[in-house]
Amino acid sequence: MENVLVAGANGTTGKKIVTLLESSQYFKPVAMVRKEEQETQFKNRNIKTVLGDLEKDVSHTVKNIDKVIFAAGSGGKKVKEVDENGAKKLIKESEKENIKKFVMLSSMGADNPEEAEELQEYLKAKHNADEYLKSSNLSYSIVRPGSLTDDKGSGKIELERKLNKQGEISREDVAQTLVRVLHDSAEVNETFEIIKGETLIGKAIPN
């Protein structure tokens, strides 16, 4: 089984990713959290944790890790420090450790942040982090969902490299998509957008 570091494991989507990995027969989650008190919920379930602050040194977090899902976010408070520089830092350390695949949770609109009517600063940070990942020597998948909802997941999405329309998607379906692209069979070095749709996640992922 491959060890998957989940950066942002304490976040709403991060927790869903960890739960999916916990029941996977291919992957074992390693929950990366910022504070000690956030570790308990995972340790109680025998899930390995690692303390790491994206604003500080994160080199230790990728030791004995096979793949990474970056689902961390500052919630709009420190977009430059966390969403951009924190991501870049983890990408850099992942390169040093020869991580097999880096899956980035990005956002629709990150390809053209200057065109966005809102969240421009956030989308610019995501854009810069995405571009940095693309120029690294890591195998990667960049997933850009529409507006996130807390609805129950349907297990179905619409996926295109560029959708050319707005839409929403449940965090559950986003988490499922991120875990699905971890597989070696999923196409690598691709960026795609997702919203809720009619195609089963397993079928929608290019392979």
Side-chain angles (χ1 to χ4, degrees):
M1 288 178 87
E2 294 180 312
N3 290 326
V4 179
L5 180 74
V6 182
N10 192 52
T12 321
T13 308
K15 284 177 182 165
K16 293 181 190 302
I17 294 165
V18 171
T19 301
L20 285 171
L21 293 171
E22 184 185 13
S23 58
S24 164
Q25 52 187 351
Y26 306 104
F27 308 115
K28 265 167 72 174
V30 178
M32 176 177 163
V33 293
R34 210 159 44 92
K35 302 179 184 143
E36 275 182 45
E37 58 266 28
Q38 295 169 343
E39 289 184 295
T40 319
Q41 57 185 319
F42 300 115
K43 284 185 170 168
N44 288 346
R45 286 151 58 189
N46 291 322
I47 292 169
K48 208 174 161 194
T49 62
V50 61
L51 274 177
D53 187 334
L54 287 162
E55 291 184 73
K56 299 180 180 144
D57 175 38
V58 289
S59 56
H60 62 288
T61 64
V62 282
K63 303 283 182 215
N64 304 314
I65 294 293
D66 298 295
K67 294 175 178 174
V68 173
I69 294 182
F70 188 91
S74 63
K77 296 182 195 82
K78 290 185 167 182
V79 289
K80 187 81 179 162
E81 296 86 343
V82 175
D83 301 80
E84 182 178 336
N85 295 341
K88 286 179 176 177
K89 216 182 284 182
L90 200 59
I91 291 163
K92 200 173 179 180
E93 296 302 337
S94 296
E95 278 189 294
K96 288 182 195 165
E97 291 295 323
N98 295 315
I99 295 297
K100 290 189 215 163
K101 195 178 218 179
F102 195 106
V103 176
M104 175 73 87
L105 172 55
S106 183
S107 171
M108 264 169 88
D111 53 342
N112 291 308
E114 55 287 337
E115 286 178 17
E117 285 166 29
E118 47 196 46
L119 298 173
Q120 252 195 24
E121 196 190 354
Y122 167 72
L123 290 172
K124 208 169 279 180
K126 292 307 280 180
H127 172 82
N128 293 343
D130 291 354
E131 290 303 315
Y132 189 82
L133 178 56
K134 287 180 194 174
S135 65
S136 74
N137 57 26
L138 292 168
S139 290
Y140 67 83
S141 290
I142 297 170
V143 180
R144 292 177 168 162
S147 308
L148 299 179
T149 71
D150 291 318
D151 298 346
K152 192 160 172 41
S154 68
K156 294 176 180 178
I157 58 172
E158 187 175 343
L159 177 150
E160 292 290 343
R161 290 197 172 91
K162 181 81 181 146
L163 280 164
N164 293 313
K165 61 177 173 182
Q166 297 299 310
E168 52 182 40
I169 184 166
S170 71
R171 291 174 189 277
E172 248 174 54
D173 287 335
V174 170
Q176 278 214 34
T177 304
L178 293 168
V179 170
R180 184 68 193 80
V181 295
L182 275 176
H183 288 274
D184 293 329
S185 58
E187 199 169 314
V188 293
N189 303 345
E190 274 303 339
T191 305
F192 44 81
E193 298 180 342
I194 55 170
I195 52 175
K196 69 178 178 193
E198 297 303 319
T199 310
L200 285 168
I201 289 169
K203 286 232 170 82
I205 305 294
N207 55 30

